[in-house]
């Protein structure tokens, strides 16, 4: 599961927690930041490190134009 910054992050995390608590299903999750950090958990992506061939469920709050989805998919391809 992937939650794009910012509002997709809590949706992704709460979905992962609910799947585990309600159905005992472990799913990897990750999310991005708008800017990479130079300290602590460095980088732009947090959580599971996506691998080539992984399927991804994108969780976001609103799908008005779909631009966040398009931008996120392009970012994940790199």
């Amino acid at each position: 599961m992937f939650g794009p910054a910012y509002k997709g992050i809590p949706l992704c995390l709460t979905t992962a927690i609910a799947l585990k608590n309600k159905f005992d299903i472990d799913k990897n999750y990750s999310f991005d930041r708008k800017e990479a950090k130079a300290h602590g958990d460095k980088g732009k992506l947090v959580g599971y490190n996506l691998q080539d061939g992984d399927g991804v469920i994108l969780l976001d709050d609103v799908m008005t134009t779909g631009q966040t989805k398009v931008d996120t998919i392009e970012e994940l391809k790199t």
Side-chain angles (χ1 to χ4, degrees), residues 9 18 27-28 54 60 69:
I9 296 170
K27 289 295 176 187
N28 294 319
D54 282 346
D60 205 1
K69 176 185 75 168

Side-chain angles (χ1 to χ4, degrees), residues 2-6 9 30-50 71-72 74-76 78:
F2 188 86
Y6 290 103
I9 296 170
S30 59
F31 56 88
D32 64 347
R33 297 181 171 118
K34 293 288 184 182
E35 306 86 25
K37 286 174 53 176
H39 63 281
D41 189 6
K42 297 179 182 176
K44 192 167 178 183
L45 295 178
V46 177
Y48 175 73
N49 190 11
L50 296 167
D71 293 344
T72 299
E74 287 304 312
E75 183 73 25
L76 292 176
T78 59

Side-chain angles (χ1 to χ4, degrees), residues 13-63:
L13 295 177
T14 56
T15 300
I17 292 167
L19 285 170
K20 179 61 180 167
N21 289 344
K22 298 280 186 179
F23 305 105
D24 200 30
I25 297 172
D26 283 318
K27 289 295 176 187
N28 294 319
Y29 66 86
S30 59
F31 56 88
D32 64 347
R33 297 181 171 118
K34 293 288 184 182
E35 306 86 25
K37 286 174 53 176
H39 63 281
D41 189 6
K42 297 179 182 176
K44 192 167 178 183
L45 295 178
V46 177
Y48 175 73
N49 190 11
L50 296 167
Q51 308 294 312
D52 285 343
D54 282 346
V56 176
I57 297 171
L58 184 66
L59 299 170
D60 205 1
D61 66 328
V62 176
M63 192 74 67

